[in-house]
Amino acid sequence: MNEHPSLWLDAYLDGELPVGKALIVEAHLAECADCRALLAQRRDVMRLLQEAEPANGLKPAGRFVAEVELHLSRPRLPERRKPMLSLLWQFAPLALILAWVFVMAVSIAGTVLAFFPDPIQALAGSLPALQESSHLAVLFDSGWGRLALEGIDFLGPFNILDWSWLTSLAARAGIGFLYLGWLASWLASHNQHTIIEGE
Amino acid sequence: MNLVAEAIETSESVLVACASHGDREAFSELVYRYRTGVINVVYRLCGDADLAEDAAQTAFVRAWQHLAGYQTRASFRNWLYRIAVNAALDLLRRQKPAVAIEDLHLAVPGDGLETRQEARERREVVRQAVLALPEASRAVLVLREYEGLTYQEIAAVLDIPAGTVMSRLSYARQRLAELLRPYLEMV
């Protein structure tokens, strides 16, 4: 080997070189006085380094441990998977938005239909095409369709078609409040993760 | 049942398992065991014993907070050292720049018999020379020379390839040989 294995010398000295490479280095050292001198110098450096004292004047172990304990909060346990809850949590804002849109739509439709004495007939009558040929007209006139629509009356205060503008407003405000609550908890959770990852 | 009373005589892994389930006493026992090693790693990297203790405490608190992320396949000591090295590097970045090699004024050793004072001065010079190394090389050197980690362990602690460990260590020793030449002739 003609080239000096300078980079390998430290690994050789530390016993970290594979056997094959160690044999190559040994063969080279037998012939190269410069590398033998370099190796001796490395040994001296290591000897000097070992003379350096460890940290002095440290706190007693008990005090050190007690100070660490003061800063210990509860550790984060491994997260257990809760797929259903997690899924519901992810879809909560979408569901709330849809509910809000639904209440809005029903509120607007209810306001419009309030102008007509018989909303079902008015709806069917306003759509001649439906009245003539569509199955919807048949549905409106059929006993089952009428029963389904009139059955809403049994819902009492939960009958969304009978809500006043104030009830509708309160419902929308409630949904908005729930959405803001979800948003606030999501932001709090997101910030906590960011702080921990940034440590 | 006192978990610590049972675990105190058993292996490190039991203590780690207890600590990761919120047992503070188990974690305190781990702090007690590794306190000296962690403090010294930070001390060799930053050169100040008081700051090293603070950074070591920070490292232990971080370890506690992230115990859930510790993988039992890795050595707990090496995982702790990784956190300690990062704490030390954070500390160094907040502090003033490390000693520049150009600014390092090494006292020329006197002739004749070495006195206790000269030995102390020599140790201080060695400490300064280590602190004058670039952080990356210094971390490798400290873990090898003072903690006796293998190249593979150093690679795992610092998250670098083993080949990089070899080259950084070679550079660090070569640089120290140049800086400490007058002292090497005395050894």
Side-chain angles (χ1 to χ4, degrees):
Chain A
M1 188 173 185
N2 295 325
E3 289 183 13
H4 300 292
S6 309
L7 198 61
W8 290 2
L9 277 184
D10 290 281
Y12 172 76
L13 200 56
D14 293 327
E16 293 271 353
L17 219 50
V19 179
K21 287 180 180 174
L23 288 173
I24 293 172
V25 171
E26 278 174 9
H28 180 83
L29 285 171
E31 297 171 357
C32 180
D34 289 345
C35 283
R36 281 200 299 275
L38 194 61
L39 195 67
Q41 187 194 53
R42 290 286 208 267
R43 284 203 178 99
D44 292 341
V45 168
M46 290 165 72
R47 206 170 299 141
L48 265 184
L49 286 170
Q50 292 309 317
E51 287 182 14
E53 292 174 332
N56 288 319
L58 299 176
K59 297 168 188 166
R63 190 177 152 197
F64 181 90
V65 175
E67 286 179 4
V68 171
E69 283 174 347
L70 280 177
H71 292 93
L72 299 185
S73 55
R74 283 191 66 78
R76 277 185 289 153
L77 297 174
E79 286 184 13
R80 292 184 181 173
R81 285 177 168 265
K82 294 177 183 171
M84 276 306 291
L85 278 177
S86 171
L87 207 62
L88 283 174
W89 180 249
Q90 299 290 331
F91 281 102
L94 183 65
L96 288 170
I97 289 169
L98 287 175
W100 194 85
V101 169
F102 176 72
V103 171
M104 274 292 287
V106 169
S107 173
I108 292 167
T111 308
V112 172
L113 290 174
F115 287 107
F116 299 96
D118 187 346
I120 295 166
Q121 282 300 326
L123 185 65
S126 66
L127 301 168
L130 283 177
Q131 198 173 22
E132 285 170 12
S133 59
S134 169
H135 295 295
L136 278 176
V138 176
L139 182 66
F140 285 138
D141 288 334
S142 72
W144 286 109
R146 194 161 283 278
L147 184 67
L149 287 167
E150 288 174 355
I152 292 171
D153 289 342
F154 289 109
L155 295 171
F158 299 105
N159 181 1
I160 199 165
L161 290 171
D162 281 350
W163 280 2
S164 67
W165 66 271
L166 194 62
T167 317
S168 175
L169 190 68
R172 275 178 278 158
I175 293 169
F177 183 75
L178 285 173
Y179 181 79
L180 287 176
W182 179 89
L183 195 64
S185 60
W186 181 82
L187 282 174
S189 162
H190 183 71
N191 282 345
Q192 190 183 14
H193 284 301
T194 310
I195 289 164
I196 289 167
E197 283 161 10
E199 277 181 349
Chain B
M1 183 174 67
N2 186 352
L3 285 175
V4 173
E6 285 188 4
I8 202 107
E9 295 297 325
T10 56
S11 67
E12 168 191 292
S13 59
V14 175
L15 285 174
V16 173
C18 291
S20 64
H21 284 85
D23 189 332
R24 291 172 188 233
E25 288 183 63
F27 187 74
S28 297
E29 174 61 23
L30 289 168
V31 175
Y32 190 83
R33 284 189 187 186
Y34 292 110
R35 178 188 72 106
T36 310
V38 169
I39 292 175
N40 275 320
V41 164
V42 181
Y43 170 68
R44 307 283 190 196
L45 285 168
C46 74
D48 185 305
D50 291 334
L51 289 176
E53 278 195 306
D54 290 346
Q57 287 182 334
T58 304
F60 279 116
V61 173
R62 282 185 192 173
W64 169 258
Q65 289 168 342
H66 293 89
L67 265 175
Y70 166 65
Q71 294 176 334
T72 48
R73 290 193 304 273
S75 151
F76 182 73
R77 181 192 65 161
N78 294 348
W79 183 71
L80 260 184
Y81 280 177
R82 181 177 197 155
I83 297 172
V85 168
N86 286 333
L89 294 179
D90 287 349
L91 182 73
L92 287 170
R93 283 174 200 130
R94 285 199 301 271
Q95 300 292 315
K96 60 183 181 183
V99 180
I101 289 180
E102 296 76 24
D103 299 338
L104 199 60
H105 302 294
L106 299 178
V108 179
D111 296 332
L113 291 173
E114 187 183 60
T115 63
R116 191 176 292 179
Q117 174 67 20
E118 284 171 342
R120 195 179 304 132
E121 283 175 5
R122 186 172 67 182
R123 286 196 291 270
E124 177 58 20
V125 166
V126 171
R127 192 178 76 87
Q128 290 290 325
V130 171
L131 290 175
L133 292 171
E135 287 172 10
S137 305
R138 200 188 322 161
V140 173
L141 184 88
V142 165
L143 291 173
R144 175 66 205 176
E145 296 294 344
Y146 298 111
E147 299 305 319
L149 268 62
T150 65
Y151 286 14
Q152 284 298 332
E153 286 173 328
I154 297 169
V157 168
L158 299 177
D159 199 18
I160 53 176
T164 307
V165 172
M166 195 189 293
S167 57
R168 284 184 186 173
L169 190 59
S170 179
Y171 169 82
R173 285 177 179 158
Q174 180 58 38
R175 201 77 189 95
L176 286 176
E178 291 164 10
L179 286 169
L180 301 170
R181 194 180 301 278
Y183 292 89
L184 289 175
E185 288 163 3
M186 291 178 65
V187 175

